């Protein structure tokens, strides 16, 4: 999912130039059909589309190679497509045009835009149960998000939440550590005090995160995390109406502006630079998705990770989930469908390998696996699985979505000082109303 730094920002925006990784590769704008796979005698052809590049691509490739070695009766063809909007456009066209693979990956918060029953087919829950995967093996809220129109259209692989990275040496110097871990931080004032202590110890702002750049989305993810902690909703539960609470939203936006105005966070920095600043080893904290763990480990800096502190009452953290889906096939069934379900079940049961890249497995038995518990710091924030804040179901929400990009641009101004909190709220509501009034552009989807 996460290519190298410069290309990741373009990928998050759905740009054409994102890096590709993993198994075989298709051009982002080529035809929707996957290239032919060669199935030997007695083998079943299984085509699997995903969007994992970078470290995720390496982990995915290793897992797929293990599956092939253990399932010699399946001719597995794994195709890595370009992350972001190009992937979702292509997946939708494949489902609408009858040229879909047997299995694909989808971000769970984007499920509502894929017209379950037209672009996607439901899973056979009895078949999954025969393979050892049942509803009770997942967090209830995440499992329910995969259920639409009377069927289970998505099976979650993980959740990838916003987390707090911290430099252990810097935080020790600032008096923020105890027993080798970051001291608990509760409330917005305590977090601001921690940033002040870090700044006093280093002479540098205590926090760095993406605040600007083309198609910048981290300001949206910050707002979504803190706003979820207030108990507020951006959209109604069905994703059809605006539900922003002005009082709660202004409280969050004012706090975000305050951190920047006081010099407690780096005010103007794009995504790649924000990762680079933290990689320098002198900035105490970095707010980002958990996927940058490989970057910081490669650099060799002394760091760890924890959940985003509960600054506004609740323990929520903005997140999305990678999930498996069955792109629509007119004649779905038989051996190929069995192979697709088999791969899903195998990936879930073996997702300790996937967790090495920072993602929190959605399959609960893995969270109790000693091999997973031995992963540090990955297992340190595993309880976030019960508090993830996914976007409400709307076609324009979820990873690489128009909502992320448009509201990221609005809230970027709060951090850089070009917008007031109240002005940003007014503009965000106007953009959300426009998105609510806009038809889903995917083929085969009714308004």
């Amino acid at each position: 999912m996460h290519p190298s730094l410069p290309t990741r920002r373009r990928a998050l925006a759905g740009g054409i130039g994102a890096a590709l990784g993993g198994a075989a590769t298709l051009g982002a704008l080529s035809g929707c059909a996957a290239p032919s796979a060669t199935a030997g005698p007695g083998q079943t052809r299984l085509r699997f589309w995903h969007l994992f590049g970078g470290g995720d691509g390496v982990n995915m490739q290793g897992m797929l190679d293990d599956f092939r070695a253990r399932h010699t009766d399946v001719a597995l063809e794994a195709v890595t497509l370009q992350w972001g909007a190009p992937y979702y456009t292509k997946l939708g066209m494949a489902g609408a045009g009858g040229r879909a693979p047997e299995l694909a990956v989808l971000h769970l918060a984007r499920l509502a835009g894929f017209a379950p029953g037209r672009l996607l087919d439901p899973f056979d829950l009895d078949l999954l149960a025969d393979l050892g995967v049942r509803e009770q093996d997942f967090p209830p809220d995440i499992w329910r998000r995969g259920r639409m129109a009377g069927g289970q259209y998505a099976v979650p692989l993980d959740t990838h939440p916003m987390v707090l990275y911290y430099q252990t040496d810097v935080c020790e110097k600032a008096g923020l550590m105890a027993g080798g871990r970051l001291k608990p931080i509760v409330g917005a004032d305590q977090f601001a005090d921690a940033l002040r202590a870090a700044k006093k110890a280093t002479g540098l702002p205590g926090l760095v995160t993406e605040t600007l750049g083309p198609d910048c989305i981290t300001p949206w993810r910050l707002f979504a995390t803190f706003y979820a902690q207030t108990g507020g909703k951006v959209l109604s539960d069905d994703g059809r109406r605006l539900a922003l609470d002005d009082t709660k939203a202004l409280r969050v936006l004012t706090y975000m502006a305050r951190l920047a105005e006081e010099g407690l966070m780096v005010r103007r920095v794009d995504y790649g630079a924000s990762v680079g600043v933290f990689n320098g080893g002198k900035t105490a904290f970095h707010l980002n998705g958990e996927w940058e763990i490989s970057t910081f480990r490669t650099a060799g800096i002394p760091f760890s990770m924890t959940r985003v502190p509960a600054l506004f009452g609740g323990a929520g953290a903005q997140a999305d989930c990678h999930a498996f889906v069955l792109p629509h096939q007119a004649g779905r069934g038989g051996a190929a469908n069995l192979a697709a379900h088999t791969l899903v079940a195998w990936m879930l049961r073996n997702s300790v390998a996937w967790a090495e890249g920072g993602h929190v497995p959605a399959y609960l038995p893995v969270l109790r696996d000693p091999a997973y518990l031995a992963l540090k710091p990955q297992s340190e924030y595993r309880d976030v699985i019960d508090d993830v804040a996914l976007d409400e179901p709307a076609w324009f929400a979820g990873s690489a979505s128009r909502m992320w990009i448009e509201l990221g641009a609005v809230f970027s101004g709060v951090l850089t000082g070009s917008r007031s909190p109240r002005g940003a709220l007014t503009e965000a509501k106007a953009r959300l109303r426009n998105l609510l009034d806009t038809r889903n552009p995917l083929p085969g989807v009714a308004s």
Side-chain angles (χ1 to χ4, degrees), residues 47 58 67 72 106 120 124 136 152 248 275 313 335 345 364 385-386 401 415:
R47 296 165 297 173
V58 172
F67 177 85
T72 56
L106 185 88
L120 301 175
D124 184 330
Q136 55 265 40
Q152 191 71 31
K248 292 175 178 178
V275 173
L364 295 178
I385 194 81
D386 296 319
S401 68
L415 297 174

Side-chain angles (χ1 to χ4, degrees), residues 43-385:
Q43 285 189 311
T44 298
R45 181 191 186 197
L46 173 60
R47 296 165 297 173
F48 172 45
W49 287 9
H50 67 84
L51 37 55
F52 300 118
D56 280 355
V58 172
N59 290 342
M60 176 59 64
Q61 183 65 58
M63 295 174 73
L64 295 176
D65 286 345
D66 286 346
F67 177 85
R68 290 185 181 98
R70 290 164 173 76
H71 299 81
T72 56
D73 58 334
V74 176
L76 172 60
E77 176 191 323
V79 179
T80 307
L81 299 174
Q82 186 174 320
W83 204 98
Y87 176 82
Y88 286 113
T89 299
K90 190 162 191 172
L91 185 62
M93 291 174 65
R99 294 173 289 176
E102 285 71 39
L103 183 67
V105 165
L106 185 88
H107 284 95
L108 189 57
R110 295 198 64 135
L111 181 64
F114 270 74
R118 278 175 283 185
L119 300 183
L120 301 175
D121 294 330
F123 280 90
D124 184 330
L125 296 185
D126 291 335
L127 181 52
L128 281 179
D130 290 343
L131 294 165
V133 174
R134 303 157 301 169
E135 177 179 351
Q136 55 265 40
D137 294 327
F138 299 86
D141 289 344
I142 290 177
W143 179 263
R144 280 196 293 268
R145 281 298 298 265
R147 189 165 187 83
M148 299 187 72
Q152 191 71 31
Y153 284 89
V155 174
L157 170 63
D158 64 33
T159 187
H160 41 98
M162 178 76 80
V163 297
L164 182 67
Y165 297 84
Y166 61 96
Q167 305 274 0
T168 53
D169 287 356
V170 172
C171 289
E172 187 71 49
K173 184 179 179 181
L176 301 173
M177 300 284 286
R181 294 184 179 182
L182 186 69
K183 292 178 181 178
I185 295 172
V186 180
D189 289 341
Q190 277 195 22
F191 186 58
D193 286 343
L195 298 183
R196 293 186 186 100
K199 184 175 182 179
K200 182 177 180 180
T202 65
L204 300 172
L207 171 66
V208 64
T209 192
E210 177 191 37
T211 65
L212 53 77
D215 299 316
C216 166
I217 63 164
T218 301
W220 152 252
R221 300 188 73 221
L222 286 180
F223 172 82
T225 293
F226 298 150
Y227 181 69
Q229 293 181 353
T230 71
K233 295 273 191 179
V234 175
L235 302 174
S236 59
D237 288 341
D238 62 5
R240 295 179 180 274
R241 299 180 307 281
L242 185 63
L244 266 176
D245 183 300
D246 285 11
T247 300
K248 292 175 178 178
L250 278 174
R251 182 185 173 201
V252 168
L253 291 169
T254 300
Y255 182 75
M256 290 167 58
R258 169 187 158 198
L259 295 183
E261 289 166 358
E262 287 192 32
L264 299 179
M265 63 182 292
V266 180
R267 186 153 202 172
R268 298 182 63 83
V269 60
D270 66 16
Y271 185 90
S274 73
V275 173
V277 168
F278 189 75
N279 233 353
K282 297 180 180 180
T283 302
F285 298 107
H286 178 54
L287 281 166
N288 201 345
E290 33 63 40
W291 51 77
E292 293 296 351
I293 182 173
S294 299
T295 302
F296 301 137
R297 280 194 158 166
T298 299
I301 58 175
F303 80 99
S304 192
M305 302 157 68
T306 189
R307 295 182 53 163
V308 176
L311 304 189
F312 294 93
Q318 187 279 334
D320 207 336
C321 303
H322 297 118
F324 296 107
V325 293
L326 303 174
H328 176 61
Q329 293 182 336
R332 178 172 290 281
N337 192 50
L338 172 60
H341 283 69
T342 300
L343 177 56
V344 169
W346 191 91
M347 296 287 283
L348 292 169
R349 293 196 306 270
N350 292 276
S351 54
V352 169
W354 187 241
E356 292 178 2
H359 307 311
V360 181
Y363 187 62
L364 295 178
V366 170
L367 295 185
R368 301 186 290 270
D369 189 322
Y372 173 71
L373 295 174
L375 293 178
K376 304 294 182 183
Q378 294 93 325
S379 63
E380 300 285 344
Y381 50 87
R382 64 188 181 278
D383 58 347
V384 75
I385 194 81

Side-chain angles (χ1 to χ4, degrees), residues 11-25:
L12 283 167
I16 300 291
L20 302 172
T25 299

